[in-house]
Amino acid sequence: MEIKIQSIHFDATEKLEAFIEKKVAKLEKTFEDIKTVEVQCKVVKPATAQNKEVSLNVSVPGSTLFVEKVSDTFEESVDLCVDSMKVQLQKMKEKMRNR
């Protein structure tokens, strides 16, 4: 699985990138056929609360799944995205089993 991280309107620290990679890598436990995960971190409306937006684009065979969350910190947004993506991947896995 390839993980691409893009930061918009700020420079991501190595610590943040390591956190993202560790969290996103756990998605493989839910669905082993993930090809790529594109993580986009963006600061929306600087100087306001709830301004850290994270989106995940997950490419799996035959489909691309997307989730986006906004919160006070990038870490929280990443956690919310990963949890939401796990649910989508689990549903996809069940659909594939039921074919």
Side-chain angles (χ1 to χ4, degrees):
M1 171 173 78
E2 180 186 1
I3 300 172
K4 299 175 188 171
I5 300 172
Q6 182 182 14
S7 43
I8 299 170
H9 303 308
F10 79 105
D11 293 323
T13 62
E14 284 181 25
K15 186 177 175 185
L16 177 60
E17 288 183 355
F19 176 85
I20 292 169
E21 287 182 12
K22 181 180 174 188
K23 289 289 182 177
V24 169
K26 291 180 179 177
L27 290 173
E28 271 191 314
K29 291 179 183 170
T30 307
F31 197 91
E32 18 333 291
D33 295 334
I34 296 172
K35 294 176 184 173
T36 60
V37 178
E38 292 179 21
V39 183
Q40 193 175 68
C41 301
K42 187 186 334 183
V43 176
V44 286
K45 298 179 194 159
T48 61
Q50 300 285 316
N51 70 340
K52 308 294 191 297
E53 179 182 286
V54 174
S55 63
L56 294 184
N57 261 317
V58 177
S59 297
V60 295
S63 189
T64 300
L65 304 174
F66 178 80
V67 67
E68 182 177 84
K69 301 290 179 187
V70 179
S71 66
D72 281 334
T73 67
F74 284 115
E75 290 82 358
E76 185 182 355
S77 292
V78 168
D79 279 337
L80 293 170
C81 280
V82 168
D83 289 346
S84 183
M85 186 56 71
K86 281 180 183 174
V87 171
Q88 285 190 43
L89 289 167
Q90 195 61 46
K91 286 180 182 174
M92 180 175 233
K93 204 172 180 179
E94 286 169 20
K95 275 186 192 171
M96 292 170 80
R97 259 195 229 123
N98 294 332
R99 284 187 184 168

